[in-house]
Amino acid sequence: MNMGNFGIQNVPKSKTIGLMEYFSYGIGDFSFCFIYGAIGSYIVFFYTDVACISAATVGTILLLSKIFDGISDMLMGYVIENVHSPLGKARPWLLWMAIPYCAGSALLFTVPDLGETGRVIYAFISYNLMATTIFTSMNVPYGVLSSVMTNSQNERSILSICRASFGALGVFLISSYAPDLVVFFGGGAQGWQRTFLMIGLVSIGLFWFTFYGCKERVGSGVMEQRTGKKSSITLKQGFQILCANKYWFIMLMVNIFYTAMTSLYGMNLYFAKYVIQSEGRNRSMMMCSTFAAIIVPLLIIPVVKRIGKRNVALYGGVGMGLLGQVILMLTAETSLTAMYLGLILRGMGVACVSATKFGMIADSIEYGEYRTGTRAEGFVYSAASLGVRVGSALASAFIGWVLGAYGYDGSLAVQSESAMRGIRIMFYYAPMVVFLALLGLLAFYKLDREYDGIMNILNERHRRQEMERA
């Protein structure tokens, strides 16, 4: 395998992306999804059953935190647009923030020896330190990175697929094996803390691997390196660019509902523990939900090339997701085989959306430049990634609120009938709402068919600008 593109400097050896660079980019999301998957699958359970915080309080903590998280996304977009480094516009953040990421991972899953009020305050502070500050300072630039590595629709599609596949592998591993690691490291609060300290240490090496292996080839950062002229965008200009970009808004909403769906995977543990009364089934349920997301993105590469990203997300993603959810609603409590089939089909649907949405967000950057004349990778991606924070917040908060409203108590071994109804509502019906919302949103996304014409116009603009500077 050619390692010639590896190095600290932002000096690509080729105009096109090679296999090693695709792999390096995918490894980044593999690492991110350890924490992303843990927050989606276990953070509510950790707070309710390990830290012994009430479900309703957990919902409120997560909702307030995600509001701050969304604000931090937008601010990070502004920072990306206005911080200039010879290492690139997006990639250096993976180098700079990897060690703080490790520390934040361990602090997030720590239960201090304090009273209930102290634990609530600590949960709020540690969650916002990790998710709102450290995670955002790395994940937003990582998302921007794909848009500055290339402006080829095909290469962006493959980058999106690599990210989705490796990310799903990370979610699969953490969702399936985190409880085993917790037991291995001593169980209880100590086991959770040691597990995520280890994960943080591994993440340092993975993030640095992505930094060294990926290079920026297009975008305003590369133009600055070529011309020596630094450009900056104000917050007001950034908002104006977003308001002119209808496809950014569609992808913002897609991100909200997609992330809400992945956060609802956390209901698998509640369903396994209380409804089918076999907590050990959670692992196999998580495997069904996430394993498809590892394989499906790699299998749909030729399909994406043939029918486009939007059609794969709409027909493959929403179609299989709805079918899987209907099977779950009809059979989950009567047949384990049928339940696993429903989870696999739903997971395949989610995987189709995951494999295509990152490329669709990146393409919306060119649409924004076409409409406004200004390219703003940081603002467009950070604002779209706001959907991840909002979706996760709403889903996690809604889980906490619904369970709390129906009387769920994590300290009880057996839940009341009312609490059982709350668990069933969130496992069966909440995902249906999500898939129907995605159906409506993707029906209005038409950029795949417009992209080539937009790029022809932008290339001509860039050629004229180069001639004027010469």
Side-chain angles (χ1 to χ4, degrees):
M1 188 176 293
N2 183 10
M3 301 286 286
N5 205 45
F6 240 62
I8 190 169
Q9 297 300 322
N10 187 42
V11 183
K13 301 296 192 299
S14 171
K15 293 182 178 179
T16 58
I17 298 176
L19 180 61
M20 189 62 186
E21 197 166 0
Y22 284 123
F23 178 76
S24 298
Y25 185 74
I27 283 294
D29 211 46
F30 176 71
S31 184
F32 278 121
C33 281
F34 287 149
I35 294 299
Y36 174 79
I39 289 175
S41 298
Y42 294 118
I43 198 67
V44 175
F45 180 82
F46 174 78
Y47 284 153
T48 58
D49 289 43
V50 181
C52 296
I53 301 171
S54 72
T57 301
V58 170
T60 302
I61 289 173
L62 294 176
L63 180 62
L64 291 175
S65 298
K66 288 300 182 177
I67 292 172
F68 295 141
D69 203 3
I71 295 171
S72 73
D73 274 5
M74 297 295 295
L75 292 176
M76 192 63 208
Y78 174 77
V79 170
I80 292 171
E81 296 293 352
N82 292 280
V83 171
H84 311 281
S85 168
L87 300 178
K89 188 170 189 174
R91 60 190 287 270
W93 296 94
L94 300 173
L95 174 68
W96 296 335
M97 297 301 295
I99 293 175
Y101 186 96
C102 172
S105 300
L107 291 173
L108 180 63
F109 285 92
T110 293
V111 180
D113 187 15
L114 301 170
E116 183 176 358
T117 301
R119 293 196 302 273
V120 169
I121 293 172
Y122 177 85
F124 181 81
I125 293 174
S126 61
Y127 188 94
N128 281 281
L129 174 66
M130 180 58 188
T132 302
T133 306
I134 299 172
F135 191 91
T136 294
S137 71
M138 298 183 73
N139 191 252
V140 171
Y142 173 77
V144 172
L145 184 58
S146 67
S147 70
V148 294
M149 290 172 68
T150 179
N151 57 17
S152 162
Q153 260 199 315
N154 184 52
E155 288 185 332
R156 282 182 178 172
S157 294
I158 299 175
L159 285 171
S160 179
I161 287 168
C162 288
R163 176 177 182 176
S165 189
F166 277 94
L169 179 60
V171 171
F172 169 74
L173 291 175
I174 200 67
S175 299
S176 301
Y177 296 105
D180 292 338
L181 287 172
V182 169
V183 172
F184 176 80
F185 284 115
Q190 173 184 271
W192 284 91
Q193 182 188 54
R194 291 178 177 177
T195 294
F196 283 91
L197 175 60
M198 181 205 71
I199 288 170
L201 291 170
V202 171
S203 295
I204 293 174
L206 297 177
F207 286 134
W208 285 353
F209 186 89
T210 300
F211 165 77
Y212 277 93
C214 296
K215 297 293 181 285
E216 300 180 16
R217 295 173 178 81
V218 299
S220 55
V222 173
M223 188 62 68
E224 289 174 7
Q225 292 178 351
R226 291 175 181 171
T227 64
K229 182 180 179 181
K230 296 181 179 180
S231 61
S232 297
I233 297 176
T234 66
L235 285 172
K236 181 180 179 180
Q237 289 173 322
F239 282 116
Q240 289 173 339
I241 291 168
L242 295 179
C243 289
N245 192 333
K246 64 181 179 181
Y247 292 121
W248 161 78
F249 180 76
I250 290 174
M251 293 313 300
L252 167 67
M253 299 304 296
V254 167
N255 247 356
I256 289 174
F257 285 102
Y258 164 81
T259 309
M261 183 61 246
T262 59
S263 296
L264 287 170
Y265 283 173
M267 289 307 304
N268 288 359
L269 181 55
Y270 291 93
F271 190 83
K273 184 176 181 178
Y274 297 112
V275 177
I276 61 177
Q277 298 181 350
S278 177
E279 188 173 352
R281 295 283 182 189
N282 173 61
R283 177 188 293 179
S284 55
M285 292 175 71
M286 285 294 188
M287 286 182 176
C288 291
S289 296
T290 59
F291 189 70
I294 304 171
I295 303 299
V296 169
L298 301 176
L299 299 178
I300 64 173
I301 292 176
V303 183
V304 171
K305 289 181 179 180
R306 183 174 181 83
I307 68 174
K309 298 184 286 290
R310 175 263 196 181
N311 288 340
V312 168
L314 179 60
Y315 302 119
V318 176
M320 283 192 289
L322 287 171
L323 176 60
Q325 197 60 35
V326 169
I327 291 174
L328 287 173
M329 293 171 67
L330 296 175
T331 66
E333 296 180 46
T334 58
S335 169
L336 284 176
T337 301
M339 180 187 73
Y340 290 143
L341 174 62
L343 289 170
I344 290 171
L345 287 172
R346 188 179 73 176
M348 292 174 67
V350 172
C352 287
V353 178
S354 175
T356 52
K357 74 185 184 78
F358 299 114
M360 295 163 75
I361 293 170
D363 289 349
S364 74
I365 293 171
E366 270 72 33
Y367 181 79
E369 183 182 2
Y370 162 72
R371 287 295 309 274
T372 66
T374 302
R375 184 181 178 90
E377 303 100 331
F379 271 109
V380 173
Y381 190 86
S382 66
S385 70
L386 173 64
V388 175
R389 319 304 179 209
V390 173
S392 176
L394 291 177
S396 298
F398 202 61
I399 289 172
W401 289 338
V402 170
L403 294 184
Y406 278 84
Y408 174 83
D409 186 343
S411 65
L412 298 178
V414 178
Q415 298 296 325
S416 66
E417 279 300 312
S418 176
M420 297 295 287
R421 283 197 298 274
I423 291 171
R424 288 185 172 95
I425 286 171
M426 295 306 297
F427 185 80
Y428 290 133
Y429 300 109
M432 288 294 290
V433 174
V434 170
F435 284 120
L436 291 173
L438 288 171
L439 174 65
L441 288 166
L442 290 169
F444 289 98
Y445 186 92
K446 311 291 184 182
L447 185 54
D448 278 1
R449 68 178 70 165
E450 300 170 1
Y451 188 82
D452 288 341
I454 288 171
M455 283 307 304
N456 290 335
I457 294 172
L458 290 179
N459 288 334
E460 179 60 24
R461 282 186 196 170
H462 297 162
R463 186 185 66 80
R464 280 202 237 87
Q465 290 169 357
E466 291 283 349
M467 290 177 62
E468 289 171 2
R469 276 192 290 266

